[in-house]
């Protein structure tokens, strides 16, 4: 879902267009799923079970672990998973941590 009020679901094309802008794409699937099904280009894999901890990390630690600049609470972030259930949970977690 996209962090925009009603949290609409995105089509693949909408996501591709968004990724041309400065949006951080977090894939919350498990690592074995990434290995099996492939990773999405320009996305960062943070399994759902690690997400709450990851979003509260020190930015330096975050960059070291995920090789990507940590999003600030106002940055545009898109979550994805396999079926959409986990990305909705991810969205709730992020919003509860103060991400807009």
């Amino acid at each position: 879902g996209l962090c925009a009020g009603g949290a609409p679901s995105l089509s693949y094309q909408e996501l591709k267009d968004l990724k041309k802008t400065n949006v951080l794409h977090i894939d919350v699937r498990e690592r074995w799923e990434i290995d099996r099904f492939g990773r999405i280009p320009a996305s960062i894999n943070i399994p759902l079970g690690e997400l709450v901890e990851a979003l509260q990390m020190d930015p330096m630690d975050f960059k070291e672990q995920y090789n990507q600049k940590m999003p600030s609470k106002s940055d545009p972030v898109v979550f994805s998973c396999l079926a959409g259930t986990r990305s909705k949970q991810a969205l709730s977690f992020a919003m509860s941590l103060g991400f807009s």
Side-chain angles (χ1 to χ4, degrees):
L2 178 68
C3 292
S9 290
L10 295 174
S11 71
Y12 176 68
Q13 189 55 50
E14 287 170 316
L15 180 60
K16 277 181 72 167
D17 291 343
L18 255 183
K19 287 173 74 123
K20 294 180 190 133
T21 64
N22 201 14
V23 65
L24 178 64
H25 178 189
I26 298 180
D27 186 337
V28 296
R29 291 177 299 162
E30 297 303 315
R31 292 201 168 83
W32 67 263
E33 292 177 275
I34 307 275
D35 292 341
R36 181 180 297 178
F37 302 114
R39 73 184 284 274
I40 300 166
S43 69
I44 164 178
N45 175 221
I46 307 178
L48 188 64
E50 284 173 32
L51 185 70
V52 173
E53 193 180 344
L55 293 178
Q56 298 178 88
M57 270 180 173
D58 179 85
M60 298 279 288
D61 295 339
F62 185 96
K63 185 154 181 32
E64 202 169 292
Q65 174 139 3
Y66 298 109
N67 205 15
Q68 177 95 28
K69 187 180 163 295
M70 184 170 175
S72 79
K73 291 194 163 38
S74 58
D75 285 346
V77 178
V78 171
F79 296 103
S80 68
C81 59
L82 199 60
T85 311
R86 285 171 290 181
S87 54
K88 284 194 181 67
Q89 284 178 286
L91 185 65
S92 317
F93 287 154
M95 289 173 85
S96 71
L97 293 171
F99 283 80
S100 53

